[in-house]
């Protein structure tokens, strides 16, 4: 299994707002956290609900840029990349309405043997 490619499939689906693809790429009992944003979820469906709402309401143009670094250790991928977009509303930690932001993220993704995402931890 090419776990780096599995991580890129997740990011590509995210960037293209392909929530149907994400549903197939992520395990139902996903362990998700965005640490410095104090955000924790324990299911794929809860995460997809948040991602859909975020893309529709808060930052429609949000996306990850190409990674600056990807490190793979067994079934874990660490991906360092800029996360960019324009806040549609005042969004603490991102920007004021109409303001562009660019944040460095480090994403740690763990996959099962079939390449389905089972853990996703964002820092940044």
């Amino acid at each position: 299994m090419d776990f780096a490619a599995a991580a890129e499939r997740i990011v590509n689906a995210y960037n293209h707002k392909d929530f149907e693809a994400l549903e197939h790429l992520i395990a139902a009992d996903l362990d998700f956290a965005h640490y410095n944003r104090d955000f924790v979820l324990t299911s794929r469906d809860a995460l997809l609900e948040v991602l859909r709402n975020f893309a529709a309401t808060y930052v429609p143009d949000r996306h990850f840029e190409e990674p600056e670094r990807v490190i793979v250790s067994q079934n874990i991928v660490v991906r360092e990349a800029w996360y960019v977009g324009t806040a549609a509303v005042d969004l603490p930690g991102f920007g004021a309405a109409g303001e562009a932001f660019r944040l460095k993220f480090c994403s740690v993704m763990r996959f099962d043997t079939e390449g389905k995402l089972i853990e996703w931890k964002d820092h940044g």
Side-chain angles (χ1 to χ4, degrees):
M1 170 60 58
D2 183 345
F3 294 111
E8 287 310 305
R9 283 191 292 275
I10 296 284
V11 171
N12 188 48
Y14 177 90
N15 283 350
H16 289 93
K17 301 179 191 174
D18 189 347
F19 301 110
E20 185 176 323
L22 285 171
E23 187 172 349
H24 296 290
L25 296 169
I26 299 173
D29 59 347
L30 175 71
D31 175 12
F32 177 88
H34 194 151
Y35 287 112
N36 59 316
R37 308 242 180 244
D38 199 26
F39 194 71
V40 176
L41 296 168
T42 58
S43 80
R44 171 193 63 215
D45 294 343
L47 176 62
L48 291 178
E49 180 181 338
V50 168
L51 295 181
R52 283 183 179 103
N53 190 37
F54 198 76
T57 306
Y58 299 102
V59 188
D61 67 343
R62 90 289 176 272
H63 64 278
F64 286 97
E65 293 183 345
E66 290 298 315
E68 291 184 5
R69 180 182 353 224
V70 176
I71 299 169
V72 179
S73 178
Q74 297 179 9
N75 65 332
I76 297 173
V77 177
V78 178
R79 187 180 190 280
E80 183 181 345
W82 290 99
Y83 182 73
V84 300
T86 307
V89 299
D90 289 345
L91 198 57
F94 290 88
E99 186 175 278
F101 63 84
R102 191 166 193 251
L103 305 170
K104 179 63 76 83
F105 273 24
C106 181
S107 300
V108 179
M109 300 175 167
R110 185 168 58 97
F111 296 87
D112 67 13
T113 56
E114 281 83 44
K116 194 167 270 208
L117 184 66
I118 57 177
E119 181 181 1
W120 185 353
K121 304 295 168 69
D122 272 341
H123 306 264

